């Protein structure tokens, strides 16, 4: 049975124990979908959130996120955003909190 939970990784290839070309930034959509499907199966989650970051310099990054729907086998992707980084501490926590809030709010 699939749990209603969400598993979120910012290093999807490592989490899925993949040895293919996955993990290179940015991963191709097919590689992301495959990684997310493996994570969903491994952890029994209905949805898997993945993030990708491209570091351009110490303070300039590109960032995007993806949400995989295990039941439909679909990967939904946000556009890439250019961000100016002040402090990376807890960025993943903030992303997870916002995603959970949005999913619970419907």
């Amino acid at each position: 049975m699939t749990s209603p939970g969400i598993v979120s990784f910012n290093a999807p290839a490592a989490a899925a124990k993949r040895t293919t070309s996955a993990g290179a930034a940015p991963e191709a959509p097919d590689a992301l979908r495959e990684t997310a499907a493996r994570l969903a199966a491994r952890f029994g989650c209905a949805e898997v959130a993945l993030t990708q970051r491209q570091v351009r310099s110490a303070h300039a990054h590109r960032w995007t996120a993806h949400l995989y729907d295990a039941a439909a086998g679909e990967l939904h992707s946000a556009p890439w955003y250019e961000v100016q980084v002040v402090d990376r501490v807890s960025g993943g926590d903030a992303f997870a909190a916002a995603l959970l809030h949005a999913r619970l709010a419907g």
Side-chain angles (χ1 to χ4, degrees):
M1 180 171 164
T2 303
S3 77
I6 296 171
V7 61
S8 176
F9 289 97
N10 64 356
K17 296 185 178 178
R18 297 193 41 177
T19 57
T20 63
S21 62
E27 288 186 46
D30 288 343
L32 287 169
R33 188 178 300 106
E34 182 182 337
T35 297
R38 287 176 184 237
L39 289 167
R42 180 174 175 190
F43 294 104
C45 292
E47 295 177 320
V48 176
L50 305 170
T51 61
Q52 290 182 291
R53 175 191 309 261
Q54 288 182 324
V55 178
R56 303 219 180 225
S57 72
H59 298 289
H61 295 195
R62 289 183 75 221
W63 194 88
T64 189
H66 313 274
L67 186 63
Y68 176 75
D69 178 340
E74 295 178 351
L75 183 70
H76 305 279
S77 300
W80 282 93
Y81 291 93
E82 301 284 338
V83 296
Q84 296 300 310
V85 178
V86 175
D87 188 342
R88 288 179 56 171
V89 174
S90 299
D93 294 338
F95 167 77
L99 176 63
L100 289 170
H101 173 75
R103 300 304 290 152
L104 291 173

